[in-house]
Amino acid sequence: MPNTHSPAWQALAEHCEVVRHYHLRDWFARDSQRFSGLSFELEGVLVDFSKQRIDRRGLALLLDLAKSADLAGWRERMFAGERINFSENRAVLHSALRFLKTGSFPSGETDVMPDVRQVRAKMRLFSDQVRAGLWRGFSGEAIRDVVNIGIGGSDLGPKMVVRSLSAYQRAGMRVHFVSNVDSAHMAKLFEMLDPRTTLFVVASKTFSTQETMLNAHTARKWLCAAAGEDCARALPLHFVAVTSDLARAAAFGLPEANVFDIWDWVGGRYSLWSAVGLPIALAIGMNGFERLLAGAQAMDTHFREVPFEKNLPVLMALIGIWNTNFLGAATSAVLPYHESLRFLPSFLQQLEMESNGKTVGRDGQALSCQANPIVWGEIGSNGQHAFFQLLHQGGWLVPSDFIASAQSDFPLPGHQAPLMANFLAQSAALAFGKTEQEARAELEAAKVPPEQIDSLLPHKVFAGNQPSTTIILPRLDPYHLGMLLALYEHKVFVQGVIWGINSFDQWGVELGKQLAGRLLPALKGETDTEGLDQSTKALIDWCREYGDF
Ligand code: F6P
């Protein structure tokens, strides 16, 4: 667990007492080099930390904290394939999935690259065939719709990437994502699909997740209803699986040829780089998918090799820790000013909160500080006209990440400049606010009568000092998206190391699953509700009276 009594932590706490009430206005006024000192560029990606409430001394102390947590050692342990996910006895090797060089990764006997390369080759063959119209369904027609059935990491990553890169998608091939066990998700899709030209990708590392398996069985019935006597022949033409459980896929009716392997050293929320990314390859082609991998690999190399002082994931993580543990921010917002990035906030919610949403350290002891903040977010343009009021005047400290690309992926004349003007205006307004003096001057200039000025004035003041990081990609292409996502992954890793957390297990999702298993037969009336708490019991009775199970 983090040693909050360590000299490094204590020095930060003391420094925070000194600077906590400083305003970003003053920091910028005092330091004409603030932007150049606190912004970094990597392969065209600009990351500006200057609107964070941190100064150079604070940053130096944070870097001491990273060193005292043996960040360099943990980083090497991860890249060396040590079983740092100790509670599941697993290595953490998602970086191997984007290792495009020759040679082994990690070195020695634990080299996973032969398996990784074999699956990549299988993905290429399959996605090329489907995209070229050579993979035929039971009626001999080419595939026009791909439906990914998965949930959590087997849905959020590939969905976010496919939607982010829709500008790179070939016309004529639609890719859909079904995750919800609510039949409204699948049923509405069936209305627009033709079973003869639909391919299902069942993505589940365990091949046992309730939502995914129920949806997969429903899809199989739908296919078989159309294929009739041809059902057995149709199944392998319309279904493939991405899983580490070959036996379960076989029990579902899929031969090994239809199964794309993943391994226990790939966590679900880190799996989009594996065969879980098959829908990405189907959407943009395997070359595009490998550009995504290449961007992530560039960030891996940066994270591994660049000194902490200039290391983007390290700096991003440390500033997050400053905001959470020293300034006391309970949440953090992700605000993409990019329509294609609309699923990025939900992807990052899983990445961050499933990894570090914990109160127990690696040593089994309760953490002595709060770990991951609540992550939330929305397309920035839409948020401006909804919840930004609270960010500006609600009195909560909400650090945010503003993300945009300099170029539009679907350019229409006259749109990109207003988009970027708003993007830049909001982080500036949040940082610098508007003083009473400035507000008064504006009201006077607008010739508002003096008696009204006094009553309006409190409403027109913006406290500012709301911290943010600005990230600008040159364009939202596979390579730079890969860089962006790996940046966040490594940020999460660094924070986990400093908080002393195992970021790669997720025991907290189990209790609800267990309970749902117990409640299902009660809801269906197969068992009674004895032993349940009175609220759940009464709610089951209510559902049974009004529902149809
Ligand atoms: O329940 C949480 C979880 O295990 C996630 O960690 C994972 O991404 C998701 O469920 C899906 O798991 P699977 O790929 O095994 O279906």
Side-chain angles (χ1 to χ4, degrees):
M1 69 173 183
N3 186 355
T4 49
H5 299 295
S6 68
W9 193 281
Q10 285 306 313
L12 277 160
E14 280 163 30
H15 184 63
C16 187
E17 282 318 302
V18 177
V19 299
R20 161 184 302 283
H21 300 293
Y22 284 17
H23 202 288
L24 281 164
R25 273 195 296 263
D26 303 325
W27 266 333
F28 272 87
R30 258 191 245 147
D31 182 359
S32 61
Q33 302 303 307
R34 189 172 167 83
F35 173 80
S36 56
L38 285 170
S39 61
F40 300 84
E41 190 265 347
L42 180 65
E43 298 201 36
V45 177
L46 178 73
V47 184
D48 173 22
F49 297 116
S50 66
K51 292 197 187 84
Q52 289 288 350
R53 284 165 55 180
I54 190 79
D55 61 353
R56 286 160 206 238
R57 164 120 183 98
L59 209 49
L61 293 172
L62 284 165
L63 290 163
D64 289 346
L65 182 69
K67 284 173 200 146
S68 72
D70 188 26
L71 176 58
W74 280 103
R75 183 181 55 183
E76 271 324 293
R77 263 163 244 156
M78 175 170 74
F79 283 111
E82 276 187 37
R83 293 173 184 259
I84 59 169
N85 176 2
F86 73 89
S87 67
E88 296 178 324
N89 195 26
R90 290 175 184 167
V92 175
L93 281 173
H94 46 274
S95 289
L97 299 166
R98 55 243 190 168
F99 186 72
L100 295 169
K101 299 172 197 162
T102 52
S104 55
F105 189 111
S107 56
E109 282 172 20
T110 47
D111 180 18
V112 296
M113 291 316 296
D115 288 344
V116 171
R117 292 190 185 109
Q118 199 181 9
V119 173
R120 265 190 220 146
K122 191 167 172 177
M123 286 171 73
R124 179 175 289 280
L125 193 68
F126 179 68
S127 56
D128 283 355
Q129 278 186 331
V130 174
R131 285 165 59 80
L134 299 173
W135 183 280
R136 302 293 169 121
F138 70 88
S139 67
E141 289 173 72
I143 298 300
R144 284 200 296 270
D145 288 277
V146 173
V147 181
N148 187 80
I149 301 178
I151 199 163
S154 301
D155 167 70
L156 291 166
K159 179 170 68 183
M160 177 270 301
V161 173
V162 167
R163 297 298 178 246
S164 297
L165 298 177
S166 52
Y168 293 80
Q169 198 167 331
R170 187 170 64 84
M173 170 78 71
R174 297 183 298 185
V175 184
H176 316 270
F177 292 85
V178 174
S179 53
N180 200 337
V181 73
D182 180 350
S183 50
H185 206 170
M186 189 69 113
K188 280 166 85 175
L189 204 53
F190 284 159
E191 285 171 14
M192 57 183 285
L193 296 177
D194 180 344
R196 291 168 302 179
T197 55
T198 299
L199 173 78
F200 293 97
V201 178
V202 184
S204 176
K205 188 173 154 184
T206 54
F207 225 70
S208 63
T209 303
Q210 187 194 39
E211 294 86 344
T212 301
M213 294 329 295
L214 188 50
N215 280 326
H217 281 98
T218 301
R220 191 173 64 178
K221 277 187 208 139
W222 178 77
L223 173 75
C224 284
E229 288 180 354
D230 256 353
C231 174
R233 188 179 70 83
L235 197 64
L237 300 177
H238 291 268
F239 276 82
V240 293
V242 180
T243 186
S244 59
D245 197 325
L246 273 174
R248 283 204 166 112
F252 183 80
L254 292 178
E256 208 175 323
N258 284 49
V259 180
F260 295 82
D261 218 356
I262 53 173
W263 308 274
D264 70 355
W265 45 262
V266 190
R269 52 195 174 275
Y270 299 88
S271 66
L272 72 91
W273 322 99
S274 70
V276 168
L278 188 61
I280 306 170
L282 288 164
I284 66 169
M286 196 61 192
N287 289 346
F289 183 65
E290 288 193 349
R291 286 298 292 157
L292 180 84
L293 301 186
Q297 177 181 242
M299 189 56 75
D300 291 343
T301 306
H302 169 88
F303 176 51
R304 245 182 133 164
E305 293 178 359
V306 171
F308 288 171
E309 293 72 18
K310 293 184 176 166
N311 192 308
L312 291 175
V314 173
L315 293 170
M316 205 169 169
L318 292 174
I319 289 170
I321 284 177
W322 173 256
N323 287 333
T324 303
N325 297 120
F326 296 95
L327 293 180
T331 84
S332 81
V334 185
L335 305 169
Y337 274 68
H338 207 302
E339 187 58 29
S340 301
L341 288 175
R342 65 189 172 283
F343 292 110
L344 183 65
S346 46
F347 169 77
L348 291 179
Q349 281 182 321
Q350 186 196 14
L351 178 65
E352 298 208 20
M353 296 203 278
E354 205 175 65
S355 297
N356 288 338
K358 295 164 189 171
T359 52
V360 174
R362 282 190 299 263
D363 54 5
Q365 302 294 310
L367 298 185
S368 55
C369 66
Q370 186 64 53
N372 216 86
I374 297 157
V375 179
W376 58 285
E378 170 61 287
I379 292 286
S381 304
N382 298 340
Q384 272 178 231
H385 298 276
F387 57 79
F388 269 44
Q389 163 65 36
L390 178 143
L391 300 186
H392 285 293
Q393 292 186 315
W396 294 95
L397 176 64
V398 185
S400 41
D401 288 352
F402 282 77
I403 305 167
S405 69
Q407 292 172 22
S408 168
D409 49 357
F410 290 97
L412 285 176
H415 283 253
Q416 187 67 0
L419 174 76
M420 294 304 276
N422 277 284
F423 168 72
L424 299 174
Q426 288 297 330
S427 60
L430 287 168
F432 306 119
K434 191 187 283 179
T435 62
E436 193 176 311
Q437 208 180 6
E438 288 164 341
R440 183 180 290 282
E442 266 182 25
L443 290 167
E444 285 169 356
K447 307 240 177 305
V448 176
E451 63 281 8
Q452 272 184 36
I453 289 184
D454 285 340
S455 66
L456 276 177
L457 204 54
H459 305 282
K460 298 279 189 176
V461 171
F462 291 67
N465 221 15
Q466 197 71 291
S468 68
T469 295
T470 298
I471 302 176
I472 307 181
L473 311 182
R475 1 171 231 290
L476 187 59
D477 57 17
Y479 188 85
H480 293 100
L481 180 64
M483 285 180 72
L484 179 74
L485 302 177
L487 167 65
Y488 276 97
E489 284 184 351
H490 291 315
K491 170 196 120 159
V492 168
F493 171 76
V494 172
Q495 292 186 329
V497 167
I498 292 174
W499 284 321
I501 286 172
N502 175 8
S503 303
F504 301 101
D505 59 10
Q506 58 284 317
W507 300 106
V509 301
E510 294 304 322
L511 176 60
K513 286 186 195 172
Q514 272 171 16
L515 274 177
R518 272 177 56 200
L519 299 189
L520 182 62
L523 258 177
K524 293 207 263 182
E526 294 164 4
T527 57
D528 62 31
T529 53
E530 269 325 294
L532 295 175
D533 68 88
Q534 58 168 295
S535 166
T536 307
K537 214 165 158 174
L539 293 171
I540 285 178
D541 289 344
W542 183 277
C543 291
R544 282 181 51 73
E545 188 168 345
Y546 295 101
D548 182 12
F549 307 113

